[in-house]
Amino acid sequence: MAKYIAKRLVYMVMMVIVLSFVMYLIYNLIPNNRAYTDARAEIQTLKQGLTEEEKETRFDEIYLEYQRRYGTDTNNMLVRYLRWIGLYPKYDGSFDGLLQGNFGYSYEARDEVINVIKAPMFNTILINIFGTVFALGIAIPLGIVCAVKRGSKTDQVVQVITIVGYSLPVFLFCILFIWVFCSILGIFPPSGMKTPGSDYTGWKYVADTMYYLALPLITMTFCSLGGMTRYTRASMIEALSMDCIKTARAKGLREKVVIYSHAFRNALIPIVTLVVGWFLSIFSGSLIIESLFGLHGMGKLMIQSLRTADFDVVILMQLFYVAISLLGNLIIDIIYGLVDPRIRVSK
Amino acid sequence: MSKQNKKKTSFGWLKRLFWGEGKASAQDDVLNVEEIISPGKQIVKNFFERKLAVFALCVVLGMFLFVFIGPLFMPKYYDAYTEVTQKNVPPTLDMMSVPSELKDDIKMIDSYGTFSVGLSNAGKVYVWGASKIGTTGLDVANIPEEVQNAKIAMVAAGIDHIIAIGEDGKVYGWGNARLGQYGGPAAGEENNPNIAYMPEEVMNCKVDVTNIKKLVCGYQVSAILMNDNTLYLWGNKNAYANIDKFIGNNTLTDIEFTLNYVVGVPSGGKSVYTGTRGLFGQIRPNINGEAVDIMTYLNGRSITNIIANNNNICLMLDDNSVCFAGDFKLDSVPMATLAADEYFVQIEAGTDFYTGLTNKGNVYSWGGHLLGQSDVPKKMEGVSQIYAGSFQNYAVDENGKLVDKWGLKGYIFGTDSYGADIFQRIVNGGKMTMTIGAVAVIISAVIGIIVGCLSGYFGGKVDMVLMRVMEGFSAIPFLPFALILSAVMAQMTLSENMRIFIIMCILGVLSWTGLARLVRGQVLAVRESEYVTAAQAMGIKAWKIAFKHILPNVISVILVNLTLSFATCMLTESTLSYLGFGVNYPRPTWGNMLYGANNATIIKNFWWQWLFTSMFLAATTICINIVGDTLRDVMDPKSSVDK
């Protein structure tokens, strides 16, 4: 097992490297020369009195200096990539890349990217943990009930609702919920994370935050219900049609035991994939829900950075997502082995 | 065919259409052996037994026909069509419905924007059309008490206000007053340089009604011109750049408003006065004619009347001829050529067209035609007066009875914030959304099938490499990555068509992994079957076995997957466009039509701008998913057992 995990980890690292290289190339497709912009800005602030010619030579010097500082004084993409990672020395011989803890600089926030990401990350995790717990808490029991009472009226109603649920884009639900809950009923505030200008502490702060987060949470839960319920139902139906269930029933076991002890355990494998997947997505945040409800989270930061072409932030976030998703795959594979003894990871 | 078998279910015709007469209508004979049905037929049969699925299929097909064939039967459509006076109109078809009490007793009708105001000979004011004004909550159809009680002599409508003059000379105004459309300054606003307030004389002293030559309203401005050429002009100065040149100018014999300029005729009628050099200085005899300098063209004749629509003006000269100045849209309908002894006695202007009445009682419309504003009815008799405004025309006989009306009835789904008809944009946007979805699915299918087949059939190293590539792709978070790619594209200079094509490719290239995995699994299962072994034994090439013998056996699974991912691709495109990273305005898609609906104010006040589009998008994707799900159910022999 340990060998398997080690192998997977090595493979994962390789994957991250390949993908980060691809992303770095894409990112460099943008006609965006940071050294040039900065050099231009600096030459503007230089004292007057220089002739145009002097300015030009001075500019060339400053430009080269900036290029060396940013490590872009070569057209070799591989070298530039390795410098960005921190595996190849810059002009002055120093290593200054991701591995050395230099995650880039956000030109919009005028701060290190790592500082820019901290607060949104916290908010996103907070929101998503609640959202995921609610969604799983409703979807799994609902899916089981539907599978057990397959074909009944309840099942049919739930089927129709869930098909609507997963056929609609998330932003439509946001619009709909804002319309119903904010415009018509006026129960919840349409956007924001706290009462503007308020400075609550303690329980009052928690209550205020929950009041503002209620609608995004409801939306988030509702959006994820459709797919999850159907998924649970499908795997439960599969499990219920197995021979061992017939045997269990023939033995005279109580229906509850049959369903929860025998069938559910067999239906667990696909569900585990789902659960792990959802827990991993708590880091990425929902792009749409966050930007529509004005929540200061990862999704909103991503869209903001894309709009303002702040690509240092974007590429780091993207890299983080890739790493998380690869890690997720590994965790799912390992958990498979734990829940289902029949699945043994290949040696 | 025996009689008792003629029983028809509601979808019987569809059943017969797809697989002939079938068992149901075959000879009913006890001795008949039960017919053997091929799996394909069985699947179709099972599918059509499910009413919901058949309904969904009909909706999907209907939607396809609607967006691909529908535009052929609709008026010409332009992506970039905008109309500033028709912004944010709620769904209505009443823009031309003259109230029945007014129909036989019309004194005058005027309109500028989305509503019309009419006056009866009895002096009563009526308002119809889309009378709610934007997000202000005002409704010009709420005619003030004092206006209802007074006998009104004249009315005129602006974009968001109405001015009425009573028989006693009192001037009334209602609607939006925030930019000085009527009334005096609000407290603290006295010195607002952007507003010309209603002149004292108009506010307090009573205007001599019998001496009024003209009352005219423009975009948030109004003017009263007296017989002695005294001009009262007030309203929003920002809307009209040259308004200052007109305030206090008492030498004009006629005045009109285009969308951005005030236009007047100085006494004598030898030129057009705009206060801006060169504006409307070129005259043409018809709207598609050659432009000539105004002095040369007039050649001693003088202007008697001026009529302005939003972009251009029409001049009536003292020799009964008509000429034009200003810009005309390329596809404008030119003015009809009149007979030698026929001339226009009255010309009225709408937003982008003119309607004229000749001395022989014939009516002609020319100029813009996209909303039916210049489709003059064939038979009209006894017309003695015409009224035109916005996009509506009314022909009235000498007794004030409405003869006929033509023009824009309204918008079934309202208009967007650019003034374009949402219904038309839905039809044309659906085409784009579905095309993008379809192409993306085709791309993902081609990649997915090839990779899946190769990987599943050859196994070993090929499988290993392809599976790693597949994992790499599926590790990329879909939406963020698509966003990055389109943001990168936005920084590059690409034509819109190229951008759209790349978006299709992005969607396709990022979504093939699921299908490839599915195909691989299916191929792995089929690979061990006897007929493949037989084929191998016959020495058929490996790739031929994979694609010609194995692929047809897994095609049903692929089809189901494609149906479902078609819906997914449509959703992703909508989401991208909604976020502003997909197809851009002015080209419509169901996603970017919802782009504006991102705050509570618009969601609440302009509900029609997102509701209808969402309904079309939702109906299509839901139905596609239902069809896909049902297909999967009926194809799976296990699941159909205990249905």
Side-chain angles (χ1 to χ4, degrees):
Chain A
M1 191 72 175
K3 198 179 157 197
Y4 172 76
I5 293 175
K7 202 171 119 190
R8 284 292 299 260
L9 278 175
V10 170
Y11 156 71
M12 214 182 96
V13 171
M14 275 165 59
M15 210 67 192
V16 170
I17 290 171
V18 170
L19 283 176
S20 67
F21 184 55
V22 171
M23 274 186 308
Y24 190 78
L25 287 183
I26 291 173
Y27 162 72
N28 272 283
L29 281 177
I30 309 157
N32 174 17
N33 192 336
R34 188 157 283 169
Y36 186 86
T37 330
D38 284 2
R40 270 280 165 238
E42 194 174 324
I43 209 89
Q44 294 292 332
T45 59
L46 276 185
K47 281 198 187 87
Q48 300 295 314
L50 295 170
T51 63
E52 280 303 311
E53 214 164 290
E54 279 173 335
K55 262 191 181 171
E56 273 314 303
T57 46
R58 186 86 186 87
F59 171 75
D60 288 342
E61 283 167 28
I62 299 174
Y63 181 38
L64 189 64
E65 196 182 303
Y66 269 108
Q67 278 192 320
R68 283 173 181 166
R69 194 184 301 167
Y70 295 141
T72 54
D73 54 330
T74 166
N75 281 330
N76 187 340
M77 288 314 291
L78 192 61
V79 170
R80 278 163 74 162
Y81 168 73
L82 288 175
R83 278 176 174 166
W84 175 64
I85 292 285
L87 291 174
Y88 193 86
K90 288 197 173 165
Y91 181 75
D92 56 1
S94 69
F95 290 89
D96 186 20
L98 293 181
L99 293 179
Q100 283 78 27
N102 174 14
F103 291 106
Y105 187 80
S106 162
Y107 276 66
E108 275 304 307
R110 308 229 158 259
D111 201 354
E112 295 283 321
V113 171
I114 202 80
N115 298 334
V116 175
I117 290 183
K118 264 181 201 159
M121 178 80 95
F122 173 77
N123 288 333
T124 293
I125 292 178
L126 177 80
I127 298 163
N128 282 327
I129 284 181
F130 278 111
T132 313
V133 168
F134 287 150
L136 289 172
I138 297 173
I140 293 180
L142 198 62
I144 293 175
V145 169
C146 286
V148 172
K149 297 186 177 173
R150 192 181 172 201
S152 68
K153 276 272 172 311
T154 326
D155 180 39
Q156 280 172 355
V157 170
V158 172
Q159 284 294 296
V160 171
I161 292 175
T162 51
I163 208 164
V164 171
Y166 86 84
S167 299
L168 295 194
V170 178
F171 69 86
L172 255 184
F173 280 115
C174 295
I175 294 177
L176 209 63
F177 278 41
I178 290 180
W179 189 47
V180 172
F181 287 106
C182 306
S183 300
I184 295 180
L185 299 176
I187 306 177
F188 296 116
S191 77
M193 285 195 71
K194 63 171 193 150
T195 312
S198 68
D199 197 13
Y200 298 131
T201 47
W203 280 114
K204 223 171 170 191
Y205 170 78
V206 174
D208 186 53
T209 311
M210 280 336 281
Y211 173 57
Y212 271 82
L213 289 187
L215 191 55
L217 279 178
I218 291 174
T219 317
M220 195 179 279
T221 311
F222 195 85
C223 290
S224 37
L225 272 188
M228 285 162 92
T229 310
R230 290 182 80 84
Y231 205 73
T232 316
R233 177 178 176 272
S235 54
M236 195 65 191
I237 284 176
E238 192 103 324
L240 279 173
S241 63
M242 288 161 84
D243 289 341
C244 66
I245 301 298
K246 282 187 194 128
T247 317
R249 287 206 174 115
K251 273 202 304 192
L253 286 181
R254 273 177 303 136
E255 191 62 18
K256 260 195 182 148
V257 179
V258 173
I259 291 166
Y260 292 104
S261 175
H262 290 73
F264 185 62
R265 284 184 68 171
N266 280 304
L268 256 183
I269 302 161
I271 296 175
V272 160
T273 324
L274 199 70
V275 175
V276 175
W278 275 90
F279 264 103
L280 288 169
S281 76
I282 65 174
F283 293 101
S284 58
S286 166
L287 290 165
I288 291 138
I289 290 182
E290 283 177 8
S291 54
L292 255 164
F293 286 100
L295 307 175
H296 186 49
M298 294 286 270
K300 197 184 170 206
L301 178 69
M302 177 111 186
I303 287 191
Q304 246 173 23
S305 311
L306 280 171
R307 289 232 164 92
T308 54
D310 197 356
F311 285 101
D312 269 15
V313 180
V314 176
I315 199 166
L316 194 73
M317 284 171 73
Q318 183 74 15
L319 205 56
F320 179 69
Y321 291 166
V322 168
I324 287 284
S325 119
L326 285 169
L327 198 67
N329 283 348
L330 176 61
I331 295 176
I332 289 170
D333 282 355
I334 294 169
I335 292 183
Y336 268 3
L338 295 181
V339 282
D340 192 343
R342 285 167 306 176
I343 300 176
R344 282 276 169 255
V345 288
S346 51
K347 288 282 156 8
Chain B
M1 206 191 288
S2 59
K3 271 180 186 169
Q4 68 264 41
N5 274 322
K6 274 203 164 178
K7 195 187 84 179
K8 280 174 186 164
T9 56
S10 47
F11 295 104
W13 62 274
L14 258 178
K15 280 189 191 174
R16 285 192 298 280
L17 182 72
F18 276 87
W19 81 98
E21 291 292 276
K23 202 171 77 176
S25 48
Q27 285 280 332
D28 191 28
D29 195 77
V30 196
L31 295 173
N32 256 0
V33 185
E34 197 186 352
E35 220 175 311
I36 295 169
I37 303 175
S38 74
K41 276 187 181 174
Q42 185 66 47
I43 287 169
V44 176
K45 189 183 163 198
N46 285 349
F47 184 86
F48 281 96
E49 270 168 8
R50 307 202 177 186
K51 289 224 169 70
L52 184 66
V54 175
F55 173 73
L57 185 68
C58 291
V59 172
V60 173
L61 292 178
M63 217 50 112
F64 266 109
L65 292 181
F66 179 65
V67 301
F68 284 101
I69 299 179
L72 302 179
F73 298 99
M74 287 170 63
K76 206 161 165 28
Y77 163 81
Y78 295 94
D79 280 342
Y81 176 85
T82 61
E83 182 50 63
V84 73
T85 59
Q86 301 286 313
K87 279 194 227 167
N88 304 327
V89 181
T92 172
L93 287 175
D94 293 336
M95 289 170 84
M96 211 164 45
S97 356
V98 183
S100 52
E101 307 96 77
L102 183 62
K103 251 179 191 158
D104 299 328
D105 194 24
I106 298 170
K107 189 175 180 191
M108 64 186 299
I109 295 175
D110 190 33
S111 74
Y112 187 87
T114 58
F115 56 87
S116 305
V117 57
L119 181 66
S120 68
N121 284 319
K124 211 161 160 358
V125 177
Y126 301 87
V127 175
W128 64 95
S131 55
K132 287 207 175 65
I133 294 161
T135 53
T136 57
L138 293 168
D139 189 343
V140 287
N142 296 332
I143 302 166
E145 279 289 307
E146 45 173 6
V147 178
Q148 284 179 11
N149 297 333
K151 196 164 166 13
I152 301 296
M154 285 176 137
V155 287
I159 186 80
D160 55 2
H161 72 296
I162 295 176
I163 298 290
I165 306 177
E167 293 278 3
D168 56 352
K170 193 165 176 353
V171 177
Y172 307 93
W174 67 98
N176 190 359
R178 208 170 54 82
L179 294 162
Q181 287 93 326
Y182 61 87
E189 285 267 321
E190 286 83 358
N191 295 321
N192 192 334
N194 296 322
I195 294 178
Y197 287 103
M198 219 156 148
E200 287 286 308
E201 300 93 302
V202 181
M203 290 259 287
N204 307 328
C205 314
K206 295 181 169 179
V207 183
D208 182 7
V209 180
T210 49
N211 264 331
I212 294 180
K213 193 188 214 172
K214 192 171 190 180
L215 165 70
V216 58
C217 284
Y219 194 97
Q220 299 178 333
V221 296
S222 320
I224 299 177
L225 184 67
M226 309 297 289
N227 278 334
D228 62 353
N229 293 350
T230 314
L231 177 65
Y232 302 109
L233 179 60
W234 67 93
N236 179 7
K237 284 189 186 179
N238 281 343
Y240 288 89
N242 60 350
I243 197 167
D244 278 328
K245 300 265 168 58
F246 284 80
I247 293 173
N249 186 336
N250 292 331
T251 59
L252 302 173
T253 55
D254 202 355
I255 183 162
E256 272 285 339
F257 296 106
T258 69
L259 186 62
N260 301 309
Y261 298 99
V262 193
V263 190
V265 181
S267 50
K270 293 298 175 199
S271 64
V272 176
Y273 180 71
T274 57
T276 313
R277 191 172 289 275
L279 194 68
F280 300 127
Q282 299 281 314
I283 300 289
R284 48 188 101 201
N286 199 339
I287 60 179
N288 54 357
E290 280 294 312
V292 188
D293 181 72
I294 185 160
M295 280 306 162
T296 326
Y297 187 85
L298 286 181
N299 194 17
R301 295 177 288 182
S302 55
I303 303 166
T304 54
N305 253 326
I306 184 169
I307 306 103
N309 73 23
N310 273 5
N311 300 309
N312 42 63
I313 57 173
C314 171
L315 305 171
M316 291 173 84
L317 306 184
D318 56 357
D319 67 342
N320 290 332
S321 70
V322 174
C323 58
F324 303 90
D327 304 324
F328 291 89
K329 283 177 194 155
L330 279 179
D331 62 336
S332 297
V333 179
M335 181 176 71
T337 320
L338 298 184
D341 57 341
E342 197 175 15
Y343 59 88
F344 284 110
V345 290
Q346 191 200 357
I347 295 182
E348 292 286 323
T351 302
D352 64 352
F353 71 99
Y354 297 97
T355 295
L357 175 69
T358 64
N359 57 341
K360 291 190 173 169
N362 292 330
V363 179
Y364 299 95
S365 286
W366 62 95
H369 60 95
L370 289 179
L371 299 170
Q373 64 269 45
S374 36
D375 303 338
V376 184
K378 287 262 158 39
K379 277 184 190 166
M380 277 198 298
E381 275 172 15
V383 180
S384 71
Q385 187 80 23
I386 47 170
Y387 299 102
S390 192
F391 290 96
Q392 292 84 31
N393 299 276
Y394 308 92
V396 175
D397 70 6
E398 53 201 357
N399 303 322
K401 197 167 179 311
L402 184 71
V403 179
D404 212 338
K405 53 189 182 178
W406 66 100
L408 174 70
K409 273 193 191 137
Y411 305 93
I412 186 166
F413 289 164
T415 63
D416 62 8
S417 56
Y418 296 93
D421 186 355
I422 289 182
F423 180 71
Q424 280 208 327
R425 281 181 78 79
I426 286 180
V427 177
N428 288 281
K431 198 157 71 178
M432 183 56 77
T433 303
M434 287 198 181
T435 313
I436 292 180
V439 175
V441 164
I442 291 169
I443 293 175
S444 82
V446 169
I447 305 177
I449 291 171
I450 292 178
V451 172
C453 273
L454 291 180
S455 177
Y457 184 74
F458 290 102
K461 279 199 177 131
V462 178
D463 185 32
M464 225 280 287
V465 172
L466 287 177
M467 282 306 281
R468 294 295 88 87
V469 174
M470 210 187 308
E471 266 172 44
F473 269 96
S474 56
I476 300 172
F478 189 92
L479 200 53
F481 197 67
L483 285 179
I484 289 185
L485 285 181
S486 33
V488 167
M489 273 197 318
Q491 307 274 323
M492 298 192 281
T493 44
L494 290 171
S495 74
E496 187 65 16
N497 280 335
M498 193 65 200
R499 257 174 54 79
I500 292 172
F501 180 70
I502 295 180
I503 288 172
M504 295 174 188
C505 293
I506 293 174
L507 293 182
V509 167
L510 289 181
S511 58
W512 58 268
T513 52
L515 181 65
R517 203 164 279 163
L518 193 78
V519 174
R520 176 177 172 270
Q522 291 287 320
V523 171
L524 274 180
V526 175
R527 193 173 64 168
E528 306 302 329
S529 53
E530 285 90 352
Y531 64 87
V532 176
T533 321
Q536 278 166 340
M538 286 170 76
I540 294 172
K541 285 190 192 103
W543 64 269
K544 211 170 176 184
I545 296 177
F547 289 98
K548 212 174 166 190
H549 294 262
I550 296 182
L551 190 60
N553 284 292
V554 299
I555 204 86
S556 59
V557 188
I558 295 173
L559 273 180
V560 173
N561 186 281
L562 289 187
T563 319
L564 296 176
S565 62
F566 177 54
T568 318
C569 281
M570 275 175 63
L571 290 189
T572 320
E573 185 279 323
S574 309
T575 310
L576 280 180
S577 297
Y578 175 71
L579 291 171
F581 291 93
V583 181
N584 291 334
Y585 182 85
R587 197 163 291 198
T589 73
W590 287 345
N592 75 9
M593 285 174 66
L594 299 169
Y595 180 63
N598 52 10
N599 65 65
T601 324
I602 289 180
I603 291 172
K604 182 185 176 190
N605 289 299
F606 302 142
W607 52 269
W608 60 91
Q609 291 183 353
W610 57 269
L611 189 66
F612 297 114
T613 318
S614 315
M615 275 162 50
F616 273 82
L617 177 64
T620 313
T621 50
I622 290 172
C623 289
I624 292 175
N625 277 336
I626 290 178
V627 171
D629 268 5
T630 316
L631 269 181
R632 185 170 50 199
D633 276 3
V634 297
M635 279 176 185
D636 186 356
K638 264 193 289 178
S639 76
S640 57
V641 173
D642 55 344
K643 198 251 139 173

